[in-house]
Amino acid sequence: MVEHVDQALREQLNLPLGLADSNVHVLDPCTGTGSYLTAVLEKIVTILEEQSDDGLVAVEAKEAVLSRLHGFELLPAPFVIAHLRIGIALQRLGVPLNSASGERASIYLTNALTGWVDGNEEPLPFPEFVHERDAADSIKRNQRILVVLGNPPYNGFAGVSGSEEGGLVEPYKVRLAEDWDITKNKLDDLYIRFMRVAERRIAEQTGMGIICFVTNSSWLGDPSAVVMRKRLLSEFDHVTVDHLNGDSRETGKKTPSGEKDPSVFSTKLNPSGITRGVSISTLVRTENHQEKPAVVQYRDFWGQDKTQQLTAVTADRDAGPTYEALNPEEANWFRLLRWTSRPGYSEWPAINELCAEDPMLGLNENRSFALIDADRTALSGRMSAYLDPETPMEQVDPRLATKFSGFQPGKVRERLLQQRPFDENKIQRFQFRPFDMRYAYIETETPLWNRSRPLLVAAAEASAGFLLIRRRAPRALDGAAVHFSNCLVDQKVLFTDAYAVPFWLATQANKEPEGADALFRLEDELTASTWKPNLSQSALGYLELLGISDAKSNKDSAVLIWLHALAIGFSPLYVEQNGAAVRSDWPRIPLPKTKEGLLRSAALGKKISSLLNLDLSVTGIDNAPLDPVLRKIATIERVDGSPLNPDAGDLAVTAGWGVIQSRAIMPGVGKYDVRNLESVGIVDLSDSDREALGNQALDIYLNDHVRWRGVPVAVWDYKIGGFQVLRKWLSYREKRALGRSLTVPEARTFSTIARRITAMVMLGRELDANYLLAVQKDGLQDGSNSELAGEKAH
């Protein structure tokens, strides 16, 4: 990074001495133990020795330390070490600092995120602290900083920018909602705030200069940072990105060829490094800056030898990967990544363009799961006590007596007792996470829920099915971007904001018959006057074009597009080819060119929806005759072969699958054994099924004595909407989190989920073939797709 900055100073800012130029002031705003400033000092010495190897080199280096190499640090311990390292470096040069005369390195104990503009300074307890702050503020406000260099901290949970930061990152949030429809963002991460400090310093105060940071790489493509990227591209003339990859969530720490790709911060003592990928970004603003898009160059570094690769290109710019030009623009969200969508993807209609009504967010509880429970009886008891005027507030569940955001428990309870008494019918089936079915007490008239979504609840009364989707899926390796539910869902059922698309909409109050088999059954009492299709005019026009003209009166026809979308979204090839594009906005779905193609795809989607619906029995998995392969998947047993005894704790999940962190429950490492798939007794597989499932299976332990035997690795790893389904299900059922052992039905549910996922994995090749047929260009003209693209029904 130091070498890169020196080159930019010479070649783009026309300073032949680079970092050794006496006018170049360098700032590391998060200096830590002084690594960057020490490296800059070493570079200055090298340049000066190349120019004139005389007795004045050390003196000039010392002058740089005293006057133009600046560092800010918030924590006292690294602050002291930074001073120590600079002092040792100067002592080795033979020009030690003279503390008696007041000489010190220009490194200050200060909050680098504040003090850049005049404001009310908080009183400090000691004069030395006041002097330190005033000296740092003088550099922040008056010094002509030309280079901002360093490794800012990454912490997305450090709290939002407070008033003391003067609305630091607000420029990166301007019109995010209005222009980009982003209502929640990730722009309060510390490294984003440091980037804004650097941008303001160079672009708005000095007017020219260089930023060179190694940071979390998510800002290069995350939708939240679109305004930030657009702003930086207009404020700077040249942007260079060295993407070091190594992200556990984006790539699984794998290279494109499947080899290991650890973090660049990995060491022998810490081989995993950090989970987030990182990048080195160098932004240059020239003296003659003009308001035009910056020139952007990009390259990737992959593999276990990234440090050696970086060392090589530092010595010889032509030694490593070559840069390629990027063209960030509005159409690609000003991405600073190599990214192109599959040819034709942008012509497919987005899911929301097919809807008559906008997709609806799932319910948001934010009450520590007081309103949600896997045990209906427990939930009923808890809510009936809360809504019993004879029960003192002190005796209700503490979660219902605790203040949360927007929730005043006493006022809410008083209003409910007066107007909305306990109603057993309000306890409804609820999908909490993929395949994690629970119950919820549904109440929309008061802020009992953080977000009760009355429109979604009303839609659930008309529709026995929802297509679940995510907008801007946050991670690349998230599995299927769509899902299905036959009931109301949690907002985070797909890791982050999940949207529900009702299959049908109500035109007047009406409730679908209960029962799992009601999903696709036309009810005699439901006529065209009580429901309407949730299809835009363009979607209806597409069906008419295929010869399907009864979608307004026939529920089977009205749901064809949504079942087709479900089949496409679960195609592994669709996810592989379009995963990056799905992260940008609503998923886009290719539409079949023929009626036969749509009907065939919808039939596949119906099969997927049945497998995803735990409330619907599936022949071969739940009903006889059982599939001979699936019945051998996830068989529960004691390791010693004796019968299970739930009363003796055999169904207690204590193998470490769940870790309680504050109010969250995260998946733990657990316990498992690896075995050959054949050893489970699964031998009669087709070549395609064997390829899909792989050769290995896992025995997943509940505790030291009991396990589910024979879960194929592909099934254990299977993800829907960002969640590793089986592992996530187990994490919530760790005894410390659940507070009890599993029931017998719950223990069997794990087996059922594993078998259903196995069936979906084995459908992969058929789903891929269906997807490829949908994107073929024969049959109807492409206009049947393109006329839908860009249209939004109201």
Side-chain angles (χ1 to χ4, degrees), residues 214-478:
V214 56
T215 69
N216 179 332
S217 60
S218 60
W219 78 278
L220 300 177
D222 194 296
S224 295
V226 59
V227 173
M228 173 186 175
R229 291 191 296 272
K230 181 180 180 182
R231 180 183 177 91
L232 293 174
L233 288 167
S234 67
E235 294 279 13
F236 290 84
D237 300 287
H238 302 273
V239 175
T240 303
V241 177
D242 294 289
H243 195 187
L244 307 181
N245 293 291
D247 193 289
S248 64
R249 290 181 282 186
E250 293 291 331
T251 63
K253 291 186 179 290
K254 298 289 186 182
T255 71
S257 61
E259 299 173 354
K260 291 183 178 180
D261 183 48
S263 166
V264 74
F265 293 121
S266 298
T267 65
K268 290 182 179 179
L269 293 177
N270 180 22
S272 61
I274 62 175
T275 59
R276 302 311 305 262
V278 297
S279 63
I280 298 172
S281 306
T282 308
L283 299 87
V284 180
R285 181 182 173 108
T286 63
E287 189 173 11
N288 299 317
H289 172 73
Q290 297 180 358
E291 293 294 329
K292 61 181 182 180
V295 175
V296 180
Q297 290 186 302
Y298 174 93
R299 64 181 171 184
D300 280 301
F301 288 85
W302 296 99
Q304 300 185 70
D305 62 342
K306 283 194 282 271
T307 303
Q308 292 87 335
Q309 294 180 51
L310 288 167
T311 301
V313 298
T314 300
D316 178 2
R317 279 190 275 183
D318 298 326
T322 57
Y323 286 110
E324 62 179 278
L326 295 184
N327 183 32
E329 57 184 358
E330 184 172 344
N332 59 28
W333 290 63
F334 301 100
R335 279 188 181 86
L336 297 175
L337 288 168
R338 181 191 293 115
W339 177 84
T340 56
S341 61
R342 181 194 183 280
Y345 179 86
S346 61
E347 299 174 8
W348 304 339
I351 292 280
N352 66 315
E353 295 165 356
L354 297 168
C355 304
E357 297 290 342
D358 285 333
M360 308 172 189
L361 276 171
L363 277 65
N364 183 353
E365 191 220 28
N366 196 26
R367 305 290 182 255
S368 295
F369 309 137
L371 308 175
I372 304 169
D373 207 303
D375 185 335
R376 179 177 183 134
T377 302
L379 178 62
S380 177
R382 184 159 66 242
M383 296 309 301
S384 61
Y386 177 67
L387 296 176
D388 179 3
E390 302 299 322
T391 303
M393 192 66 164
E394 297 76 21
Q395 296 180 17
V396 305
D397 189 286
R399 294 169 293 179
L400 293 168
T402 301
K403 289 185 179 180
F404 291 92
S405 175
F407 178 59
Q408 298 293 329
K411 292 182 178 180
V412 170
R413 187 189 191 210
E414 181 179 352
R415 180 178 170 186
L416 287 170
L417 289 174
Q418 293 176 354
Q419 305 174 12
R420 315 284 291 182
F422 174 75
D423 184 351
E424 189 75 31
N425 291 324
K426 290 184 179 180
I427 298 178
Q428 299 183 22
R429 201 68 162 140
F430 189 74
Q431 187 164 180
F432 180 67
R433 298 291 182 264
F435 282 111
D436 194 340
M437 304 303 298
R438 305 190 181 192
Y439 295 92
Y441 190 84
I442 305 301
E443 167 61 60
T444 61
E445 297 299 318
T446 70
L448 182 64
W449 288 71
N450 186 45
R451 294 290 185 272
S452 58
R453 316 293 187 200
L455 292 179
L456 180 64
V457 173
E461 297 178 355
S463 182
F466 295 93
L467 179 72
L468 306 181
I469 57 175
R470 291 196 297 171
R471 186 177 189 185
R472 306 186 192 98
R475 306 188 300 189
L477 298 178
D478 275 359

Side-chain angles (χ1 to χ4, degrees), residues 170-189:
E170 291 308 307
Y172 294 164
K173 301 178 181 179
V174 173
R175 298 193 63 81
L176 264 178
E178 295 86 346
D179 295 346
W180 302 95
D181 198 23
I182 295 175
T183 55
K184 292 184 179 180
N185 62 74
K186 308 168 189 174
L187 296 173
D188 291 305
D189 195 303

